[in-house]
Amino acid sequence: MEFRRINNLPPYVFAEINQLKLEARRAGEDVVDLAFGNPDIPSSPAVVDKLVEAAQNDRNHRYSASRGIPNLRRALADRYMRRFGVELDPDTEVITTIGAKEGLSHLMWALVQPGDVALVPEPSYPIHMYAPALAGAEVRRVPISQGSDFFAGVERAFADTWPRPRVIVISFPHNPTTTTVDLEFFERLVGFARTNDVMLVHDFAYADISFDGYTPPSLLQVPGAKEVGVELYTLTKGHSMAGWRVGFVAGNSDMVAALAKLKSYLDYGTFQPIQIASIIALNDGDEFVGEVNAIYDKRMNILIDGLNRAGWRIEKPRGTMFVWACIPEPFQAAGSMEFARTLLREAKVAVSPGIGFGPSGEGFVRFALVENEHRIQQAVRGIRRVLEGTTIGAHHGV
């Protein structure tokens, strides 16, 4: 049987690692799962209490609004003013989405169609590639890595592509490479977009997860950014509300209106008690966000320091809840999928193979900091055992 669009999707690489993990656990193995970026930190108790209270009100059981209730959109605007000094009109420049993946996917339906081109960083979080592809657009990949000049790559790709790209998708801090940018980068990108009549879509999923004094800038801090772009903000990571599915698209009013029109045909918004509780998260949750960030910082230090002591040299990233690690030299020839299998089999640690994020992800694996400090220490011990007897392990006496 033929299925439109679905048949063009490649096999989901991460599914094999997930299946191997499940088989190991069924066999009684204790696997530390650092593969899937599924936050384990509980949501704020105040937000949970508000959810329960709101759910007990029968009036909140009816259809909600696909744009999001007004007070929630206003809370997002207030959060942007506090955090970034960015003024947003909650009525015309903010829309609530059912998580960032839904928001990005449907936004692409509104922005591109067959015959259009989107520029996307690669390696990439898969939906960044496949949201424009599922909308029928051609995806042109722009290489990204720590230390590379991504902006120059965008300029080259734009100049070499015909028809000219209609949309540039970006995400900083970047998943999976953890690449970060400063405000000057966004200033250059906004100038480029205005000059070349191209739309910018910034997935700001890791706005609230950063370390060692680094504060991720918002695209919308740049004067004129709202003329050419929107930003996706989510409660998933910073507020540890992954399963709640609360996201936002903010910025350019025409792009927001286009998404609102499309969504009016597709959904009635997130369950209203979740939206009401999310208002508490945005208005009163800044301290909780700081606590979540501190937890990830501790976990990051334990993993990075432990792997470095084992001879696996990795620099600490400035943002995200991930570690993007170049595979140790003795294991490079086998590739990222085989190395991930080795870690699962011998270290009892699940990681994501870099190849799952695109061809240029080969040679890397990604760790997600979604287990507690004790479990991460256990993972480090398991990895040290894998490194024993290799050149790297012998040199460092592990």
Side-chain angles (χ1 to χ4, degrees):
M1 188 176 293
E2 186 77 15
F3 295 98
R4 303 294 187 260
R5 290 189 174 89
I6 302 301
N7 287 348
N8 293 328
L9 292 175
Y12 202 57
V13 171
F14 307 117
E16 179 181 345
I17 295 300
N18 191 54
Q19 182 61 34
L20 291 173
K21 176 191 69 181
L22 292 175
E23 291 172 2
R25 285 179 167 171
R26 289 191 189 113
E29 302 283 2
D30 181 15
V31 176
V32 181
D33 188 1
L34 305 180
F36 181 33
N38 189 7
D40 66 309
I41 303 169
S43 306
S44 166
V47 177
V48 174
D49 290 345
K50 190 64 177 180
L51 171 67
V52 172
E53 176 191 315
Q56 290 173 336
N57 186 334
D58 295 350
R59 290 176 298 178
N60 290 326
H61 297 179
R62 307 177 70 183
Y63 288 133
S64 188
S66 61
R67 289 180 59 90
I69 59 178
N71 282 345
L72 178 56
R73 288 183 276 116
R74 191 171 299 115
L76 189 278
D78 290 344
R79 169 72 172 154
Y80 259 71
M81 178 57 72
R82 286 197 315 276
R83 174 72 188 274
F84 305 110
V86 170
E87 184 174 353
L88 291 168
D89 183 335
D91 294 326
T92 62
E93 296 177 335
V94 178
I95 184 171
T96 305
T97 62
I98 307 173
K101 287 180 75 172
E102 179 272 320
L104 177 64
S105 299
H106 286 151
L107 179 64
M108 287 299 146
W109 285 18
L111 300 186
V112 295
Q113 62 185 3
D116 291 331
V117 179
L119 298 185
V120 181
E122 199 264 334
S124 173
Y125 182 51
I127 196 61
H128 293 162
M129 292 285 186
Y130 295 111
L134 287 169
E138 178 187 346
V139 176
R140 177 75 187 273
R141 303 174 185 222
V142 182
I144 185 170
S145 63
Q146 289 283 10
S148 68
D149 189 344
F150 177 70
F151 183 79
V154 168
E155 290 182 307
R156 283 193 299 272
F158 192 89
D160 293 344
T161 302
W162 189 263
R164 293 289 187 235
R166 181 172 170 80
V167 175
I168 301 173
V169 178
I170 48 174
S171 181
F172 297 103
H174 183 251
N175 175 18
T177 70
T178 72
T179 301
T180 54
V181 297
D182 55 21
L183 190 58
E184 183 197 10
F185 171 86
F186 283 141
E187 290 170 348
R188 296 168 67 198
L189 193 63
V190 167
F192 179 85
R194 296 174 76 179
T195 299
N196 292 283
D197 192 26
V198 62
M199 294 177 284
L200 303 177
V201 176
H202 180 221
D203 183 357
F204 205 16
Y206 300 96
D208 298 314
I209 308 297
S210 59
F211 315 113
D212 300 333
Y214 173 70
T215 301
S218 164
L219 171 72
L220 303 181
Q221 288 177 257
V222 178
K226 288 193 289 185
E227 297 175 20
V228 292
V230 291
E231 191 160 74
L232 288 100
Y233 182 85
T234 172
L235 303 188
T236 294
K237 304 306 191 304
H239 294 269
S240 209
M241 294 170 61
W244 300 58
R245 309 314 301 136
V246 182
F248 304 87
V249 173
N252 181 270
S253 58
D254 291 337
M255 295 165 71
V256 167
L259 178 58
K261 184 175 182 179
L262 179 63
K263 281 175 62 65
S264 70
Y265 284 90
L266 298 175
D267 68 70
Y268 290 107
T270 301
F271 184 42
Q272 190 151 295
I274 291 177
Q275 295 190 56
I276 292 169
S278 297
I279 295 169
I280 301 299
L282 286 167
N283 285 342
D284 304 328
D286 291 3
E287 184 176 343
F288 179 76
V289 168
E291 294 169 1
V292 169
N293 196 92
I295 291 171
Y296 284 125
D297 194 16
K298 284 184 179 178
R299 293 178 179 183
M300 183 73 72
N301 288 331
I302 290 171
L303 182 64
I304 295 286
D305 292 347
L307 294 180
N308 281 343
R309 284 196 299 272
W312 189 353
R313 295 299 178 192
I314 304 168
E315 288 190 16
K316 182 181 178 182
R318 296 199 296 172
T320 78
M321 51 186 281
F322 302 115
V323 171
W324 183 242
C326 184
I327 296 171
E329 195 279 330
F331 301 92
Q332 285 179 4
S336 62
M337 179 60 81
E338 182 56 35
F339 184 59
R341 292 191 192 103
T342 297
L343 290 184
L344 186 55
R345 184 174 59 249
E346 300 181 20
K348 311 306 177 190
V349 178
V351 299
S352 294
I355 190 65
F357 301 98
S360 64
E362 185 55 89
F364 292 82
V365 292
R366 192 197 70 177
F367 295 85
L369 302 173
V370 292
E371 298 241 28
N372 63 37
E373 296 172 27
H374 170 75
R375 297 280 287 169
I376 290 175
Q377 289 171 335
Q378 178 180 329
V380 169
R381 290 194 296 270
I383 292 169
R384 285 174 68 94
R385 289 195 300 271
V386 172
L387 300 180
E388 288 176 356
T390 68
T391 302
I392 187 173
H395 179 72
H396 290 270
V398 298

